[in-house]
Amino acid sequence: MTQPMISVRNLHKWYSGVHALKDVSLDFAPNEAVGLIGDNGAGKSTLINILSGAQEASEGEILIDGRPVNISNPRDAMDLGIETIYQYNSMVPTMSIARNLFIGREPLKFSLFGLGVMDRKKMAEESVQAIADVDLHLRSPDALIGELSGGQRQGVAIARAMHFKSKVMILDEPTNHLAVKETNKVIGFVRSLKEMNITGIFISHNIHHVFDCCDRIVAMARGEVVLDRRTNDTNMDEIMDVL
Amino acid sequence: MKRLVKIYMEKPELAALVLLIVLIIVFQIRSDGVFLNANNLRGILGILPEIGLMVIGVTILMICGEFDLSVGSVFAVMPMTMAVLMADGTPFYLAFLAGMAVCAAIGFVNGYVTIKFNIPSFITTLGMLFIARSLTIVISGGFPPLLPNDLPNWLFTVFVGPGDLFRMSFIWFVIIALAASLMMSRTNFGNWVRATGGFLPAAQAMGIPTARVKITCFMLCSMLAGFAGMIQVLRLGSPLPSIGEGWELQAVAAAVIGGTALSGGIGAVAGGVIGAILIRVIDNGLVLSQVDANWFKFAIGFLTIFAVVANSWLGKRAKAIKVET
Ligand SMILES: Nc1ncnc2c1ncn2[C@@H]1O[C@H](COP(=O)(O)OP(=O)(O)O)[C@@H](O)[C@H]1O
Ligand SMILES: [Mg+2]
């Protein structure tokens, strides 16, 4: 195996009494799409929340390109090239597409201590480009997110993650509440990550979706990894058995 | 064209602006032209900055998803702090800084307690309403101190402008309103405020320091209220401990009339300013039209409800106008 893009080593997470992650170690290669599956409460969200900086591990290590890194908030993760698309929507409905794309990472004309005047022209231009890049057809970057369909919103979230040149793209149940056509679009997107040399971690409880677009399947149960196979070397029955 | 209509219908401050223009016309007719004469305008514009500055802070805080009921009391405690210090011989500008520091501290406590203990800011600031009012009376010693004679009234309360139409305080108000409006629409901080109030989990997921953003808004709100209180005391010439009573609700009403949503994420400084002007115009216009002054609160109450209903109706109509997205 080549040098992993991102690895976790002996990760533990306790929530006052609940041992949600029990000594989880995983390697993710560049240009690999990994499907993470498991029942509700298996610890999938906990694992990716730790990678995306939404929560901190109780114990364990995260390595990127072989180097240990410290991820203590979402900003750290983003700066390391980890972008996350959440199962609930990580968009502010009362704000425009352009503003949503750049929340927390606004291009500034000038600034003092990180605060300053936004370059709104650049925001408009780049958001039009970012949306076009993911084949989403929206006419104006000034439309409010609240006016978009669930699939369009997820599309904007993907456009945002792509725009910031991520190395690792985490999708936590991104197809929940989506129509079939929109779901297929997301699955196509996960497949396309490979060509762009981006590590994809795709969480779904729909096993068919995972078989459709992932190179490798990791199954979790009760906070542990119970199966880790190439998609070609396993089948749905085997996975159903371990869950 | 359709697109333009839609954009305007979605502007939440629109309903208030239309209402303001209608009311000005009605009052102008009913008062036989007295309403818009220089003397009356002088009266309206002289007092407007005091409620207006408070409303700016309240509006920004509401966009951020929080709420401040203590602004009326902070309005009183700031000038009282200054008056007590000045009575002891502290120069005006030092007393001013001390007063602003007190406001900043109150805003910080409001924000910190709200976030740290995860309680509604309605509760925190309701408590602060009583605490700050009580402190005002305690430090006044029950008897408001006399203000010194050498106050910089030229900077805050003297009449200026064409025909001495407004006071210096109005210039402060315009500058601060513009700065606040630009901050909300043009800076990344404004973007963070709106994101924090619009959908907190999304703002957090995108790495925005939401606690700091909220606390900053609380502090800004308190400081603007205190500054407004100082201006009123300079205008009246005496630091009464009861000033600003009931203003916290008028300020919320002004923000809501101007299109700011209680739920956060929606609103504009301009809307709050229009709401504040509306309140002043109604207060003054009712008196001029020789309507019983007790109808004032009725009018404010009615308008608050009306504005919210009108905005929600306009918003729905705007959604019904299909333009390609
Ligand atoms: N914030 C939290 N506080 C307490 N317990 C939690 C929290 N988040 C998750 N858990 C618990 O941790 C376990 C794993 O949850 P989660 O990672 O959300 O699973 P999954 O995403 O696989 O459904 C569950 O038992 C859940 O109840
Ligand atoms: Mg989950």
PDB file of all heavy atoms in Angstrom, chain A residues 40-41 44-46 87 172-173 203, ligand 2:
ATOM      1  N   ASN A  40     -27.461   2.172  13.288  1.00  0.00           N
ATOM      2  CA  ASN A  40     -27.522   3.394  14.089  1.00  0.00           C
ATOM      3  C   ASN A  40     -26.827   3.169  15.422  1.00  0.00           C
ATOM      4  O   ASN A  40     -27.036   2.155  16.061  1.00  0.00           O
ATOM      5  CB  ASN A  40     -28.978   3.775  14.361  1.00  0.00           C
ATOM      6  CG  ASN A  40     -29.540   4.616  13.229  1.00  0.00           C
ATOM      7  OD1 ASN A  40     -28.781   5.240  12.490  1.00  0.00           O
ATOM      8  ND2 ASN A  40     -30.849   4.613  13.097  1.00  0.00           N
ATOM      9  N   GLY A  41     -25.983   4.124  15.806  1.00  0.00           N
ATOM     10  CA  GLY A  41     -25.299   4.008  17.086  1.00  0.00           C
ATOM     11  C   GLY A  41     -24.008   3.212  17.012  1.00  0.00           C
ATOM     12  O   GLY A  41     -23.374   2.964  18.030  1.00  0.00           O
ATOM     13  N   LYS A  44     -20.233   5.590  13.651  1.00  0.00           N
ATOM     14  CA  LYS A  44     -19.753   6.172  12.392  1.00  0.00           C
ATOM     15  C   LYS A  44     -19.636   7.691  12.493  1.00  0.00           C
ATOM     16  O   LYS A  44     -18.606   8.269  12.158  1.00  0.00           O
ATOM     17  CB  LYS A  44     -20.710   5.815  11.237  1.00  0.00           C
ATOM     18  CG  LYS A  44     -21.044   4.348  11.131  1.00  0.00           C
ATOM     19  CD  LYS A  44     -21.994   4.071   9.982  1.00  0.00           C
ATOM     20  CE  LYS A  44     -23.384   4.678  10.113  1.00  0.00           C
ATOM     21  NZ  LYS A  44     -24.239   4.120  11.156  1.00  0.00           N
ATOM     22  N   SER A  45     -20.720   8.302  12.965  1.00  0.00           N
ATOM     23  CA  SER A  45     -20.694   9.766  13.049  1.00  0.00           C
ATOM     24  C   SER A  45     -19.633  10.232  14.042  1.00  0.00           C
ATOM     25  O   SER A  45     -18.960  11.239  13.813  1.00  0.00           O
ATOM     26  CB  SER A  45     -22.063  10.306  13.466  1.00  0.00           C
ATOM     27  OG  SER A  45     -22.998  10.087  12.444  1.00  0.00           O
ATOM     28  N   THR A  46     -19.490   9.506  15.121  1.00  0.00           N
ATOM     29  CA  THR A  46     -18.472   9.872  16.100  1.00  0.00           C
ATOM     30  C   THR A  46     -17.087   9.857  15.458  1.00  0.00           C
ATOM     31  O   THR A  46     -16.304  10.806  15.628  1.00  0.00           O
ATOM     32  CB  THR A  46     -18.513   8.898  17.299  1.00  0.00           C
ATOM     33  OG1 THR A  46     -19.818   8.940  17.873  1.00  0.00           O
ATOM     34  CG2 THR A  46     -17.490   9.271  18.342  1.00  0.00           C
ATOM     35  N   GLN A  87     -24.882  15.091   7.429  1.00  0.00           N
ATOM     36  CA  GLN A  87     -26.173  14.471   7.157  1.00  0.00           C
ATOM     37  C   GLN A  87     -27.288  15.496   7.337  1.00  0.00           C
ATOM     38  O   GLN A  87     -28.191  15.551   6.540  1.00  0.00           O
ATOM     39  CB  GLN A  87     -26.358  13.193   8.004  1.00  0.00           C
ATOM     40  CG  GLN A  87     -26.958  13.324   9.366  1.00  0.00           C
ATOM     41  CD  GLN A  87     -26.818  12.000  10.147  1.00  0.00           C
ATOM     42  OE1 GLN A  87     -25.722  11.479  10.355  1.00  0.00           O
ATOM     43  NE2 GLN A  87     -27.918  11.465  10.590  1.00  0.00           N
ATOM     44  N   ASP A 172     -21.315  12.352   5.359  1.00  0.00           N
ATOM     45  CA  ASP A 172     -22.051  11.631   6.396  1.00  0.00           C
ATOM     46  C   ASP A 172     -23.522  11.531   6.001  1.00  0.00           C
ATOM     47  O   ASP A 172     -24.273  12.480   6.148  1.00  0.00           O
ATOM     48  CB  ASP A 172     -21.902  12.358   7.735  1.00  0.00           C
ATOM     49  CG  ASP A 172     -22.464  11.532   8.892  1.00  0.00           C
ATOM     50  OD1 ASP A 172     -22.980  10.428   8.640  1.00  0.00           O
ATOM     51  OD2 ASP A 172     -22.398  12.003  10.037  1.00  0.00           O
ATOM     52  N   GLU A 173     -23.907  10.394   5.507  1.00  0.00           N
ATOM     53  CA  GLU A 173     -25.279  10.143   5.055  1.00  0.00           C
ATOM     54  C   GLU A 173     -25.819  11.291   4.213  1.00  0.00           C
ATOM     55  O   GLU A 173     -26.861  11.869   4.526  1.00  0.00           O
ATOM     56  CB  GLU A 173     -26.187   9.890   6.268  1.00  0.00           C
ATOM     57  CG  GLU A 173     -25.605   8.829   7.177  1.00  0.00           C
ATOM     58  CD  GLU A 173     -26.650   8.117   8.021  1.00  0.00           C
ATOM     59  OE1 GLU A 173     -27.826   8.120   7.625  1.00  0.00           O
ATOM     60  OE2 GLU A 173     -26.282   7.526   9.039  1.00  0.00           O
ATOM     61  N   ILE A 203     -20.452   7.674   4.200  1.00  0.00           N
ATOM     62  CA  ILE A 203     -21.231   6.973   5.216  1.00  0.00           C
ATOM     63  C   ILE A 203     -22.662   6.843   4.745  1.00  0.00           C
ATOM     64  O   ILE A 203     -23.261   7.810   4.277  1.00  0.00           O
ATOM     65  CB  ILE A 203     -21.204   7.741   6.543  1.00  0.00           C
ATOM     66  CG1 ILE A 203     -19.764   7.808   7.035  1.00  0.00           C
ATOM     67  CG2 ILE A 203     -22.092   7.069   7.580  1.00  0.00           C
ATOM     68  CD1 ILE A 203     -19.569   8.789   8.132  1.00  0.00           C
TER      69      ILE A 203
HETATM   70 MG    MG C   2     -24.774   9.022  12.244  1.00  0.00          MG
END
